[in-house]
Amino acid sequence: VDKVALPYYNCFSFANGVESNRIRDDFNRSFIKNGVKASTTLKEQYLEDHRSSGLIYSGLYNKNTSLNELNQFRMAELITKELDPTYGTIQKLFARNSDLIAFCEDKVIQIAADKDVIFNADGNTQLVASNKVLGQSRPFVGEYGISKNPESFASSSYRAYFTDKQRGAVLRLSMDGLTPISDAGMSQWFKDEFKKPGYNFIGSFDTYKNDYNLTLDDSTQAYPGSKTITYSEDVKGWTSFKSFIQESGLSMSNEYYTFKDGSMYLHHPDQTDVYRNNFYGTQYTSTLDVLFNDSPGSVKLFKTV
């Protein structure tokens, strides 16, 4: 059987299952068909478009009706949600309750899902049902973002924690909005540390102790040692430096796990023969720094030890 090569083609194939049958893949453009030489020189160059501050969503997935349109992106429908480019690129998406939280470089934005927001004449907002997949977007109060460190993100229940290297702050996103938890006695320390280049900020939440563990991993080895610092929700402050340098961490079934060199380690085991302050097979020395003021006659109240 001889192969017959057609003198034309009617689509572009991107080698990943996606094909385009329109010039420049734009809506309402001419189809590639007989009579149209798609390989000819175009006035507008055919380039890749990076949408770093916008979202594109597919069709629906319904298990009950066996409807699966996750691979369908109909350009004739409204399938995009554009955010303000001045907020920077989208670094992290987080689904909280019935909303979608977008963490941009310089802003944190709440996007209504399956509903829309209408502003009344008095300025108050009102939620209404809508056929929009992604509705009104509203930035949280505060000039904070996640910079380019989405690895610092960690969440527990309705709270989320992350860092903003550009502003030298560690943030908590809760029901009352954004709170710079780095201001709890550690504001200047974080500003000085975040100025140093080469740090990877790795965050995880320990539900066993209700702690947010933030690791400053010095990938360039330009500064003396990496470090892990802990913020406790019980005392609303930074309680301790930890000896372990995690690559990642998570909580599951009220147990806290971290990863190091491809292995998973359990923290707070029940065994009585496990040494304290022993992480990843290395024994460390525990120390306690006690701070007192110069007025021995005054009454002192310590919230964090």
Side-chain angles (χ1 to χ4, degrees):
V1 179
D2 295 333
K3 295 183 179 179
V4 178
L6 297 177
Y8 69 94
Y9 55 90
N10 62 351
C11 71
F12 284 104
S13 176
F14 298 98
N16 58 357
V18 179
E19 294 182 350
S20 173
N21 64 344
R22 297 173 184 266
I23 301 296
R24 295 189 72 249
D25 201 27
D26 283 352
F27 173 67
N28 210 22
R29 286 297 186 104
S30 300
F31 283 93
I32 303 174
K33 57 184 180 179
N34 273 337
V36 175
K37 293 184 178 180
S39 59
T40 188
T41 303
L42 298 176
K43 184 179 180 180
E44 300 179 20
Q45 195 172 2
Y46 206 102
L47 297 174
E48 183 179 358
D49 184 19
H50 293 270
R51 310 176 71 93
S52 58
S53 59
L55 302 173
I56 303 176
Y57 47 87
S58 67
L60 300 176
Y61 172 77
N62 192 329
K63 180 180 179 181
N64 296 329
T65 60
S66 299
L67 176 65
N68 187 356
E69 296 182 351
L70 296 179
N71 63 336
Q72 297 187 22
F73 298 85
R74 302 185 183 94
M75 299 186 65
E77 298 180 359
L78 297 176
I79 61 173
T80 61
K81 179 65 180 180
E82 295 295 335
L83 302 179
D84 194 335
T86 59
Y87 298 154
T89 60
I90 300 175
Q91 297 289 318
K92 172 72 177 179
L93 294 176
F94 175 61
R96 189 181 72 171
N97 296 331
S98 60
D99 293 328
L100 183 67
I101 310 298
F103 293 85
C104 302
E105 293 182 51
D106 303 312
K107 208 72 171 178
V108 181
I109 303 172
Q110 180 181 14
I111 305 175
D114 293 328
K115 53 185 178 294
D116 208 351
V117 179
I118 293 180
F119 291 90
N120 299 329
D122 56 359
N124 295 325
T125 59
Q126 179 180 358
L127 286 175
V128 296
S130 173
N131 59 353
K132 292 183 178 181
V133 177
L134 299 177
Q136 182 78 21
S137 59
R138 296 171 294 171
F140 285 97
V141 177
E143 298 300 323
Y144 296 104
I146 201 171
S147 295
K148 291 187 176 181
N149 302 102
E151 69 276 6
S152 66
F153 178 88
S155 65
S156 174
S157 184
Y158 55 88
R159 295 186 296 258
Y161 305 84
F162 60 96
T163 63
D164 188 349
K165 180 179 180 181
Q166 297 298 327
R167 294 157 187 85
V170 184
L171 285 305
R172 178 187 63 199
L173 176 63
S174 186
M175 301 303 293
D176 56 352
L178 287 173
T179 303
I181 58 177
S182 55
D183 290 349
M186 298 288 290
S187 176
Q188 192 61 45
W189 187 89
F190 278 111
K191 289 180 180 179
D192 294 339
E193 289 294 320
F194 285 1
K195 291 179 182 178
K196 301 176 182 179
Y199 269 138
N200 295 321
F201 305 113
I202 304 170
S204 62
F205 193 86
D206 182 359
T207 57
Y208 185 87
K209 287 193 172 181
N210 210 21
D211 291 343
Y212 170 62
N213 293 320
L214 175 63
T215 297
L216 281 67
D217 187 9
D218 183 12
S219 59
T220 62
Q221 301 298 323
Y223 301 97
S226 304
K227 54 188 72 71
T228 298
I229 187 170
T230 298
Y231 177 84
S232 175
E233 280 292 340
D234 296 335
V235 299
K236 305 298 181 184
W238 301 91
T239 57
S240 175
F241 285 94
K242 300 292 181 63
S243 301
F244 65 87
I245 306 300
Q246 59 180 336
E247 294 177 350
S248 181
L250 58 88
S251 291
M252 182 175 59
S253 299
N254 205 31
E255 297 284 1
Y256 180 54
Y257 304 90
T258 60
F259 298 86
K260 184 68 173 181
D261 298 329
S263 299
M264 183 172 64
Y265 293 84
L266 171 65
H267 293 240
H268 322 305
D270 296 331
Q271 294 92 328
T272 58
D273 58 344
V274 177
Y275 292 102
R276 301 255 181 198
N277 206 2
N278 186 291
F279 299 103
Y280 313 141
T282 302
Q283 183 65 48
Y284 297 91
T285 302
S286 302
T287 60
L288 178 64
D289 294 333
V290 182
L291 303 177
F292 292 96
N293 59 23
D294 297 331
S295 302
S298 63
V299 178
K300 308 171 185 65
L301 177 63
F302 292 94
K303 294 183 178 180
T304 303
V305 176

